[in-house]
Amino acid sequence: MFPRPARRAVRGGWARRQGIVEAFALLNPSRELAILVGPAFAGVLIAVGGPGAVYVFDAVTYAALVVVLALLRVPPLAGGGKRRSLLGSLREGVRYVAERPVVWQLMGLDMTATVFGAYRVLLPAFAADVLHVGATGYGLLSAAPSAGALIGSVWVFRLVRTARAGRIVLWGTAAYGLAVVGLAQSRTFPVAVAMALALGAADAVATTVRHAAVQVETPDELRGRVSAIYQMCSRGGPAIGDSVMGLAAGALGPVLALTLGGLVPAAVSGASAARSRTVREYSVPTAQPATS
């Protein structure tokens, strides 16, 4: 978790402003391929060398990554010229986010989707108690969002050139919520898989543009701090969502909990589109934003 903001800061400095959405879109396929291929490859390693082989392979790949990072020549990023304390740096990042409506509204959309659309925690109960498909069906159902995300990542390359980025975010977030509702209301396995594919694709589209837009709107010297704040939403949201959706499912059942949860990001996206032009009319700029 610690190196993620630093990686985003470096990545944002390397990519051209007009190509940063495409650069971030390249990350989704690699991540989703890892989710799809990783468990199968781990199973082969366990069969050949036992559980210890998985940890040895993991350690070797991390060591190779450290070597690669040591060999990289990172271009210098702009700095403020002054070193601040940890709390001072945090306050500066929070102040920047608070003063940029498009940034905190995009973060809010992300938080809404990840908290109320946290479907993965309920997939085991949904597969067993609603669809009655067993372990095999659950495996296919849990893999479907990652497969859909691969498709969504391809769409981003075309969509971002033909429509405003803000509208892509709003439509993608709303589609994600509605696909979660569709998954909750599915009563046959093929329909559930189709909804899982759709929510993965919609999530990839909206998430890619949200992350890229925040990077573009943040000056180099603040990108690491703003990325750290955004990480609290993008990584903390699912953890909070698992608890929220778990409690809701315990009280209402998985079907009603998923249905109500999916309606929230759809409704928030609709309200944002209707009441404010900040996100709706947003397009990714090609110039470096002015620093505060």
Short mmCIF file of all heavy atoms in Angstrom, two decimals, residues 30-67:
data_model
loop_
_atom_site.label_atom_id
_atom_site.label_comp_id
_atom_site.label_asym_id
_atom_site.label_seq_id
_atom_site.Cartn_x
_atom_site.Cartn_y
_atom_site.Cartn_z
N SER A 30 -3.66 -5.56 -17.05
CA SER A 30 -2.63 -6.30 -16.33
C SER A 30 -3.14 -6.78 -14.97
O SER A 30 -2.88 -7.92 -14.56
CB SER A 30 -1.38 -5.43 -16.15
OG SER A 30 -1.68 -4.26 -15.41
N ARG A 31 -3.88 -5.91 -14.29
CA ARG A 31 -4.41 -6.31 -12.99
C ARG A 31 -5.45 -7.41 -13.11
O ARG A 31 -5.43 -8.38 -12.36
CB ARG A 31 -5.03 -5.08 -12.29
CG ARG A 31 -5.56 -5.36 -10.90
CD ARG A 31 -6.22 -4.13 -10.34
NE ARG A 31 -7.37 -3.72 -11.14
CZ ARG A 31 -8.03 -2.59 -10.95
NH1 ARG A 31 -7.65 -1.74 -10.03
NH2 ARG A 31 -9.07 -2.29 -11.71
N GLU A 32 -6.36 -7.25 -14.07
CA GLU A 32 -7.42 -8.25 -14.20
C GLU A 32 -6.87 -9.58 -14.73
O GLU A 32 -7.35 -10.64 -14.34
CB GLU A 32 -8.51 -7.71 -15.14
CG GLU A 32 -9.13 -6.40 -14.70
CD GLU A 32 -9.71 -6.46 -13.29
OE1 GLU A 32 -10.05 -7.56 -12.84
OE2 GLU A 32 -9.81 -5.40 -12.65
N LEU A 33 -5.88 -9.53 -15.60
CA LEU A 33 -5.24 -10.77 -16.05
C LEU A 33 -4.59 -11.49 -14.87
O LEU A 33 -4.64 -12.73 -14.78
CB LEU A 33 -4.20 -10.48 -17.12
CG LEU A 33 -4.73 -10.28 -18.54
CD1 LEU A 33 -3.61 -9.85 -19.47
CD2 LEU A 33 -5.39 -11.56 -19.07
N ALA A 34 -3.99 -10.72 -13.97
CA ALA A 34 -3.39 -11.33 -12.79
C ALA A 34 -4.45 -12.01 -11.92
O ALA A 34 -4.22 -13.11 -11.39
CB ALA A 34 -2.63 -10.27 -11.98
N ILE A 35 -5.61 -11.36 -11.79
CA ILE A 35 -6.69 -11.95 -10.99
C ILE A 35 -7.20 -13.23 -11.64
O ILE A 35 -7.53 -14.21 -10.95
CB ILE A 35 -7.83 -10.93 -10.82
CG1 ILE A 35 -7.35 -9.74 -9.97
CG2 ILE A 35 -9.05 -11.58 -10.18
CD1 ILE A 35 -8.35 -8.62 -9.88
N LEU A 36 -7.27 -13.24 -12.97
CA LEU A 36 -7.78 -14.42 -13.66
C LEU A 36 -6.76 -15.56 -13.70
O LEU A 36 -7.09 -16.72 -13.47
CB LEU A 36 -8.18 -14.04 -15.09
CG LEU A 36 -9.46 -13.21 -15.26
CD1 LEU A 36 -9.60 -12.74 -16.69
CD2 LEU A 36 -10.68 -14.03 -14.86
N VAL A 37 -5.50 -15.22 -13.99
CA VAL A 37 -4.48 -16.25 -14.20
C VAL A 37 -3.80 -16.66 -12.90
O VAL A 37 -3.42 -17.83 -12.74
CB VAL A 37 -3.43 -15.74 -15.22
CG1 VAL A 37 -2.31 -16.75 -15.40
CG2 VAL A 37 -4.09 -15.43 -16.55
N GLY A 38 -3.67 -15.71 -11.97
CA GLY A 38 -2.93 -15.98 -10.74
C GLY A 38 -3.40 -17.20 -9.96
O GLY A 38 -2.58 -18.08 -9.63
N PRO A 39 -4.69 -17.33 -9.64
CA PRO A 39 -5.13 -18.50 -8.88
C PRO A 39 -4.86 -19.82 -9.60
O PRO A 39 -4.47 -20.81 -8.96
CB PRO A 39 -6.64 -18.26 -8.71
CG PRO A 39 -6.79 -16.78 -8.80
CD PRO A 39 -5.78 -16.34 -9.79
N ALA A 40 -5.06 -19.84 -10.91
CA ALA A 40 -4.79 -21.08 -11.65
C ALA A 40 -3.31 -21.43 -11.62
O ALA A 40 -2.93 -22.59 -11.41
CB ALA A 40 -5.26 -20.92 -13.10
N PHE A 41 -2.45 -20.43 -11.79
CA PHE A 41 -1.02 -20.68 -11.74
C PHE A 41 -0.58 -21.11 -10.34
O PHE A 41 0.28 -21.99 -10.19
CB PHE A 41 -0.26 -19.43 -12.17
CG PHE A 41 1.22 -19.61 -12.26
CD1 PHE A 41 1.78 -20.48 -13.17
CD2 PHE A 41 2.06 -18.90 -11.42
CE1 PHE A 41 3.15 -20.66 -13.25
CE2 PHE A 41 3.43 -19.07 -11.49
CZ PHE A 41 3.98 -19.96 -12.41
N ALA A 42 -1.18 -20.50 -9.31
CA ALA A 42 -0.87 -20.90 -7.94
C ALA A 42 -1.26 -22.36 -7.71
O ALA A 42 -0.55 -23.10 -7.01
CB ALA A 42 -1.59 -19.99 -6.95
N GLY A 43 -2.39 -22.76 -8.28
CA GLY A 43 -2.80 -24.16 -8.15
C GLY A 43 -1.78 -25.11 -8.74
O GLY A 43 -1.49 -26.18 -8.17
N VAL A 44 -1.20 -24.75 -9.89
CA VAL A 44 -0.17 -25.59 -10.50
C VAL A 44 1.06 -25.66 -9.61
O VAL A 44 1.64 -26.74 -9.39
CB VAL A 44 0.20 -25.03 -11.90
CG1 VAL A 44 1.39 -25.80 -12.48
CG2 VAL A 44 -1.00 -25.11 -12.84
N LEU A 45 1.48 -24.51 -9.05
CA LEU A 45 2.64 -24.51 -8.17
C LEU A 45 2.41 -25.35 -6.92
O LEU A 45 3.30 -26.07 -6.46
CB LEU A 45 2.98 -23.07 -7.77
CG LEU A 45 3.59 -22.17 -8.84
CD1 LEU A 45 3.80 -20.77 -8.30
CD2 LEU A 45 4.92 -22.74 -9.33
N ILE A 46 1.20 -25.26 -6.36
CA ILE A 46 0.89 -26.05 -5.17
C ILE A 46 0.93 -27.55 -5.50
O ILE A 46 1.44 -28.36 -4.71
CB ILE A 46 -0.48 -25.64 -4.60
CG1 ILE A 46 -0.40 -24.22 -4.02
CG2 ILE A 46 -0.94 -26.63 -3.53
CD1 ILE A 46 -1.74 -23.66 -3.61
N ALA A 47 0.39 -27.89 -6.68
CA ALA A 47 0.40 -29.30 -7.06
C ALA A 47 1.81 -29.83 -7.27
O ALA A 47 2.12 -30.99 -6.97
CB ALA A 47 -0.42 -29.49 -8.34
N VAL A 48 2.71 -28.97 -7.77
CA VAL A 48 4.08 -29.41 -8.07
C VAL A 48 4.97 -29.37 -6.83
O VAL A 48 5.70 -30.33 -6.54
CB VAL A 48 4.68 -28.54 -9.19
CG1 VAL A 48 6.16 -28.86 -9.39
CG2 VAL A 48 3.91 -28.76 -10.48
N GLY A 49 4.92 -28.26 -6.10
CA GLY A 49 5.86 -28.09 -5.00
C GLY A 49 5.26 -27.78 -3.65
O GLY A 49 6.00 -27.49 -2.70
N GLY A 50 3.94 -27.79 -3.54
CA GLY A 50 3.31 -27.50 -2.27
C GLY A 50 3.11 -26.00 -2.07
O GLY A 50 3.58 -25.18 -2.86
N PRO A 51 2.43 -25.62 -0.96
CA PRO A 51 2.16 -24.19 -0.72
C PRO A 51 3.43 -23.34 -0.64
O PRO A 51 3.42 -22.18 -1.02
CB PRO A 51 1.42 -24.20 0.63
CG PRO A 51 0.84 -25.57 0.73
CD PRO A 51 1.82 -26.48 0.05
N GLY A 52 4.53 -23.93 -0.15
CA GLY A 52 5.76 -23.16 -0.04
C GLY A 52 6.27 -22.66 -1.36
O GLY A 52 6.90 -21.59 -1.44
N ALA A 53 6.00 -23.39 -2.44
CA ALA A 53 6.46 -22.98 -3.76
C ALA A 53 5.83 -21.66 -4.19
O ALA A 53 6.46 -20.85 -4.89
CB ALA A 53 6.16 -24.07 -4.79
N VAL A 54 4.59 -21.45 -3.77
CA VAL A 54 3.91 -20.20 -4.12
C VAL A 54 4.62 -19.02 -3.47
O VAL A 54 4.86 -17.99 -4.11
CB VAL A 54 2.43 -20.26 -3.68
CG1 VAL A 54 1.73 -18.94 -3.98
CG2 VAL A 54 1.71 -21.41 -4.37
N TYR A 55 4.99 -19.16 -2.21
CA TYR A 55 5.65 -18.05 -1.51
C TYR A 55 7.05 -17.82 -2.04
O TYR A 55 7.50 -16.67 -2.13
CB TYR A 55 5.69 -18.35 -0.01
CG TYR A 55 4.33 -18.29 0.64
CD1 TYR A 55 3.61 -19.44 0.89
CD2 TYR A 55 3.77 -17.06 1.00
CE1 TYR A 55 2.36 -19.39 1.47
CE2 TYR A 55 2.52 -16.99 1.59
CZ TYR A 55 1.81 -18.16 1.82
OH TYR A 55 0.57 -18.11 2.39
N VAL A 56 7.76 -18.89 -2.40
CA VAL A 56 9.09 -18.73 -2.98
C VAL A 56 8.99 -17.99 -4.31
O VAL A 56 9.76 -17.05 -4.58
CB VAL A 56 9.76 -20.10 -3.18
CG1 VAL A 56 11.05 -19.95 -3.99
CG2 VAL A 56 10.07 -20.74 -1.83
N PHE A 57 8.04 -18.40 -5.16
CA PHE A 57 7.87 -17.73 -6.45
C PHE A 57 7.50 -16.27 -6.25
O PHE A 57 8.00 -15.38 -6.95
CB PHE A 57 6.79 -18.45 -7.26
CG PHE A 57 6.57 -17.86 -8.62
CD1 PHE A 57 7.39 -18.20 -9.69
CD2 PHE A 57 5.54 -16.96 -8.85
CE1 PHE A 57 7.20 -17.64 -10.96
CE2 PHE A 57 5.33 -16.40 -10.10
CZ PHE A 57 6.17 -16.75 -11.15
N ASP A 58 6.64 -15.99 -5.28
CA ASP A 58 6.24 -14.61 -5.00
C ASP A 58 7.43 -13.78 -4.58
O ASP A 58 7.62 -12.64 -5.02
CB ASP A 58 5.16 -14.61 -3.91
CG ASP A 58 4.38 -13.30 -3.88
OD1 ASP A 58 4.23 -12.67 -4.94
OD2 ASP A 58 3.92 -12.93 -2.79
N ALA A 59 8.28 -14.34 -3.71
CA ALA A 59 9.46 -13.61 -3.24
C ALA A 59 10.43 -13.34 -4.39
O ALA A 59 11.00 -12.24 -4.48
CB ALA A 59 10.16 -14.41 -2.14
N VAL A 60 10.60 -14.32 -5.28
CA VAL A 60 11.51 -14.13 -6.41
C VAL A 60 11.01 -13.03 -7.34
O VAL A 60 11.79 -12.18 -7.81
CB VAL A 60 11.68 -15.46 -7.18
CG1 VAL A 60 12.43 -15.24 -8.49
CG2 VAL A 60 12.42 -16.48 -6.32
N THR A 61 9.72 -13.03 -7.63
CA THR A 61 9.18 -12.00 -8.52
C THR A 61 9.29 -10.62 -7.90
O THR A 61 9.55 -9.63 -8.61
CB THR A 61 7.72 -12.30 -8.88
OG1 THR A 61 6.94 -12.43 -7.67
CG2 THR A 61 7.61 -13.59 -9.68
N TYR A 62 9.09 -10.51 -6.58
CA TYR A 62 9.25 -9.22 -5.93
C TYR A 62 10.71 -8.76 -5.98
O TYR A 62 10.98 -7.57 -6.18
CB TYR A 62 8.77 -9.28 -4.47
CG TYR A 62 7.32 -8.88 -4.31
CD1 TYR A 62 6.32 -9.84 -4.26
CD2 TYR A 62 6.96 -7.54 -4.22
CE1 TYR A 62 4.99 -9.49 -4.12
CE2 TYR A 62 5.64 -7.17 -4.08
CZ TYR A 62 4.65 -8.15 -4.03
OH TYR A 62 3.34 -7.78 -3.90
N ALA A 63 11.63 -9.69 -5.80
CA ALA A 63 13.05 -9.32 -5.89
C ALA A 63 13.39 -8.83 -7.29
O ALA A 63 14.13 -7.85 -7.45
CB ALA A 63 13.91 -10.53 -5.52
N ALA A 64 12.84 -9.50 -8.30
CA ALA A 64 13.07 -9.05 -9.68
C ALA A 64 12.50 -7.66 -9.90
O ALA A 64 13.11 -6.82 -10.58
CB ALA A 64 12.46 -10.04 -10.66
N LEU A 65 11.33 -7.38 -9.32
CA LEU A 65 10.72 -6.06 -9.45
C LEU A 65 11.59 -4.99 -8.81
O LEU A 65 11.76 -3.89 -9.35
CB LEU A 65 9.33 -6.07 -8.81
CG LEU A 65 8.58 -4.73 -8.79
CD1 LEU A 65 8.34 -4.23 -10.20
CD2 LEU A 65 7.26 -4.87 -8.05
N VAL A 66 12.16 -5.30 -7.64
CA VAL A 66 13.04 -4.33 -6.97
C VAL A 66 14.25 -4.02 -7.85
O VAL A 66 14.67 -2.86 -7.97
CB VAL A 66 13.48 -4.88 -5.60
CG1 VAL A 66 14.58 -4.00 -5.00
CG2 VAL A 66 12.30 -4.96 -4.65
N VAL A 67 14.81 -5.04 -8.50
CA VAL A 67 15.96 -4.82 -9.39
C VAL A 67 15.56 -3.92 -10.56
O VAL A 67 16.30 -2.99 -10.93
CB VAL A 67 16.51 -6.17 -9.89
CG1 VAL A 67 17.57 -5.95 -10.97
CG2 VAL A 67 17.08 -6.98 -8.74
#
